[in-house]
Amino acid sequence: MPEITVSRDRAYRRLFARPGTLAFTVGNLLARLPMGMFSVSAVVMIAGARGSYALAGAVTATGLAATGVLGPWVARLVDRFGQARVAVPATVVAVLGSVGMVVCVRCGAPSWALFVAYGATACTPNIGGLSRARWAHLLRDDPDALHTANSFEQAADELCFMLGPVLASFLTGTFFPEAGTLAGAVLLLGGMLVFAAQRGTEPPVRGRSAAPSPLRSPGIPPLLACFAATGAVFGSMEVVTIAFADAHGHLSAAGVVLALQATGSCAAGLVYGAAKPAGVRLGLRRCLAGMAVLMTLPWAAAGLSGSLWVLAGALLVAGMATAPTMVTAMTVVQRRTPADRVNEGMSLVVTGLLGGIACGSAVGGWVVEHLSPTVGYAVPTGAALLALGVATLTGAGRVPPAPTRAAPATRLPAVESAP
């Protein structure tokens, strides 16, 4: 068990005692919440208007692919010109894409127009990455506090992706099909404006970077392979769980069951943020090993009990491996990425995750259709083992030494570089 050196409450109070941190966090959370709303809202809106889930799925898949392509490019512009100067205009383009899709659906526009409109939402900046970049700048001399901040950010990711679909379903079901998309657009733009207004915490702008691409940084390519395999865990788990719930006549409960997995990750992230084990905390390989072990629990629960509720408990426990793994991996990315390209590095991580999610969904769906939902749970287990194997063989989880602390934790650092 890791030794908790300070109470959880004190660790997070110290984090948000720094000037401006609470304000940019509130804005970032408001902007991040729609990330869990848009795909659900789009599927409900398009399928309801056109009567085709195939079209709805194709549109959202196109947006996912476009995000993987445009995300690193937008992040590179953020690193070069600054968060406020790039993130706000990019968000406006994304919001216009969402509103345009609503108009296309309402006016009966051709199907290709839906693809174009939803594709514009790929301009949305990596909102979680923007927040992590601020923490990396502010806490570069305090690795303990940066660990807590990264843990909080991962817990916030899980919370938003847990609450987003619930909010989207409520809005589209209670009001009208377009309500989820419109509310998400308002939250995204409003939250980004609040976030960007906090200029005192924004990382400094350095202009064109002379540093090599993060893809050429030592250890980053194999680390992205680990992220892709981890994404396959998430993508396959979602598809297989939905299929398992449907096979047992409880399709409507699938969202709640998956939310329990996110709940476990959120709770583990907050606890992990206040923990300080010896050495470089748990280490990425240990985290991946823990994930591989815990991912066998849903497989065992589905095969031995056949009960959706036993499975839900197994997913709650298995989800606890997610946050420590992602926090540790993100710390490695922040340490290995050139300081003036940190947004680009973290955006590449998202691209790796999205690619893995897409592959995991496809493989999980094939196994479910040709074998069974129970056998499908072997896919996330295999993906977790693959991630562990990549990290072990390539040394992707090795963390460079943390910078020597040069100032007290309560003092804003003056150096203009991230770890």
Side-chain angles (χ1 to χ4, degrees):
M1 286 289 290
E3 178 185 358
I4 306 297
T5 58
V6 294
S7 71
R8 298 170 194 168
D9 291 342
R10 182 183 173 190
Y12 290 103
R13 281 201 304 268
R14 285 179 55 209
L15 197 64
F16 292 107
R18 297 168 182 268
T21 56
L22 184 59
F24 86 68
T25 298
V26 170
N28 189 272
L29 289 177
L30 288 175
R32 206 184 311 189
L33 181 59
M35 297 302 99
M37 297 174 60
F38 281 134
S39 61
V40 173
S41 300
V43 168
V44 172
M45 180 173 61
I46 296 172
R50 302 296 174 92
S52 173
Y53 278 99
L55 175 61
V59 170
T60 55
T62 299
L64 187 69
T67 299
V69 174
L70 289 180
W73 181 74
V74 173
R76 186 179 304 170
L77 293 177
V78 169
D79 284 327
R80 182 175 177 183
F81 298 105
Q83 291 187 351
R85 291 180 62 188
V86 175
V88 172
T91 300
V92 170
V93 173
V95 168
L96 290 176
S98 295
V99 174
M101 189 172 63
V102 171
V103 173
C104 289
V105 170
R106 278 285 184 175
C107 298
S111 296
W112 63 262
L114 299 178
F115 287 91
V116 173
Y118 198 73
T121 64
C123 291
T124 306
N126 177 10
I127 301 171
L130 294 176
S131 187
R132 288 179 173 92
R134 293 202 178 203
W135 289 120
H137 166 61
L138 295 173
L139 305 175
R140 60 191 171 276
D141 295 323
D142 192 345
D144 289 341
L146 182 57
H147 166 75
T148 301
N150 282 334
S151 299
F152 172 81
E153 291 298 328
Q154 184 60 37
D157 278 342
E158 300 293 347
L159 182 64
C160 290
F161 280 100
M162 180 173 61
L163 295 180
V166 175
L167 179 58
S169 299
F170 170 77
L171 291 172
T172 56
T174 303
F175 299 101
F176 48 92
E178 297 84 2
T181 298
L182 293 175
V186 171
L187 286 171
L188 174 60
L189 182 58
M192 183 56 70
L193 290 175
V194 172
F195 175 81
Q198 314 308 314
R199 303 300 292 269
T201 56
E202 183 176 353
V205 178
R206 295 190 173 190
R208 184 182 294 273
S209 174
S213 166
L215 284 173
R216 294 165 58 190
S217 298
I220 291 295
L223 189 61
L224 293 181
C226 286
F227 273 108
T230 304
V233 174
F234 305 150
S236 58
M237 186 68 76
E238 180 175 348
V239 171
V240 174
T241 299
I242 292 173
F244 185 88
D246 190 18
H248 288 76
H250 299 290
L251 180 60
S252 60
V256 176
V257 174
L258 288 170
L260 286 175
Q261 182 184 2
T263 300
S265 180
C266 181
L270 292 174
V271 172
Y272 189 58
K276 185 182 178 182
V280 188
R281 296 192 163 75
L282 295 183
L284 182 59
R285 278 183 292 179
R286 291 184 182 180
C287 289
L288 290 171
M291 174 179 284
V293 171
L294 291 181
M295 285 302 153
T296 63
L297 296 180
W299 190 7
L304 298 177
S305 72
S307 168
L308 183 64
W309 306 115
V310 174
L311 174 65
L315 286 173
L316 176 66
V317 177
M320 294 179 181
T322 302
T325 301
M326 294 300 298
V327 169
T328 305
M330 198 62 70
T331 299
V332 179
V333 172
Q334 290 172 341
R335 298 264 184 90
R336 289 192 177 277
T337 302
D340 52 358
R341 303 191 77 156
V342 67
N343 283 287
E344 183 181 352
M346 288 189 287
S347 184
L348 287 170
V349 165
V350 174
T351 297
L353 280 172
L354 291 177
I357 289 172
C359 293
S361 298
V363 174
W366 187 92
V367 172
V368 164
E369 184 173 340
H370 290 83
L371 299 175
S372 71
T374 299
V375 177
Y377 281 107
V379 178
T381 302
L385 287 171
L386 177 61
L388 175 60
V390 171
T392 302
L393 294 175
T394 64
R398 294 179 189 144
V399 184
T404 303
R405 183 177 300 183
T410 55
R411 178 183 169 188
L412 286 177
V415 183
E416 295 186 354
S417 64

